[in-house]
Amino acid sequence: MYEITLPALPGRTFTAKDGAELRNIVWAVARAQGKPISSDGEDREMVHEVGDLRSRADIEGVGVLDVRDVTVRVMRTAPGDWECEGHEDLYVGIGETAYCDGGCVPRPLFNRRDELVLAAALAG
């Protein structure tokens, strides 16, 4: 699981459960700037850059990638239930089923609304 911060959106933190969600955030950051994902029109280069970003986060704990004019900072977080925070302390024994006790908080995901907020922040 990864925690993503964008200095262009101070005070906001987003979560990606895997490389695919991380790649979607990087693509959204490029789109929010109104620029193509890669300079040559091929996504392959950016796929490799996001893979390197993920590897740095996995190995070093933190990875940074400049996507045009926006910096994407990724931190590796402890594995756990990716949909919400608060389940880490629940113990599930043999034959028992994990359940939500209502004390959890949904993890913040980067969505289309966040992409629009980022585009507006970059324009203004």
Side-chain angles (χ1 to χ4, degrees):
M1 178 172 320
Y2 304 93
E3 186 175 278
I4 298 98
T5 55
L6 306 169
L9 295 177
R12 304 277 310 271
T13 302
F14 303 99
T15 304
K17 69 176 177 178
D18 56 22
E21 286 188 1
L22 179 58
R23 187 176 56 244
N24 289 341
I25 291 172
V26 171
W27 261 239
V29 168
R31 283 192 309 265
Q33 296 175 70
K35 299 178 181 176
I37 291 170
S38 63
S39 57
D40 61 0
E42 294 288 327
D43 296 346
R44 196 171 337 170
E45 181 182 333
M46 186 68 84
V47 169
H48 292 296
E49 289 179 2
V50 173
D52 290 342
L53 173 67
R54 182 180 182 193
S55 293
R56 282 193 308 275
D58 287 342
I59 295 167
E60 300 169 11
V62 176
V64 176
L65 176 65
D66 291 326
V67 181
R68 306 286 184 256
D69 301 328
V70 177
T71 301
V72 177
R73 184 173 186 268
V74 178
M75 289 180 39
R76 178 82 174 151
T77 61
D81 191 351
W82 70 272
E83 292 179 342
C84 52
E85 299 175 275
H87 289 271
E88 289 80 10
D89 294 331
L90 293 178
Y91 173 77
V92 179
I94 296 174
E96 296 177 343
T97 304
Y99 64 93
C100 181
D101 62 357
C104 60
V105 177
R107 294 189 187 274
L109 301 174
F110 192 86
N111 57 36
R112 297 248 186 239
R113 182 180 24 188
D114 297 314
E115 188 174 339
L116 292 172
V117 170
L118 176 59
L122 294 172

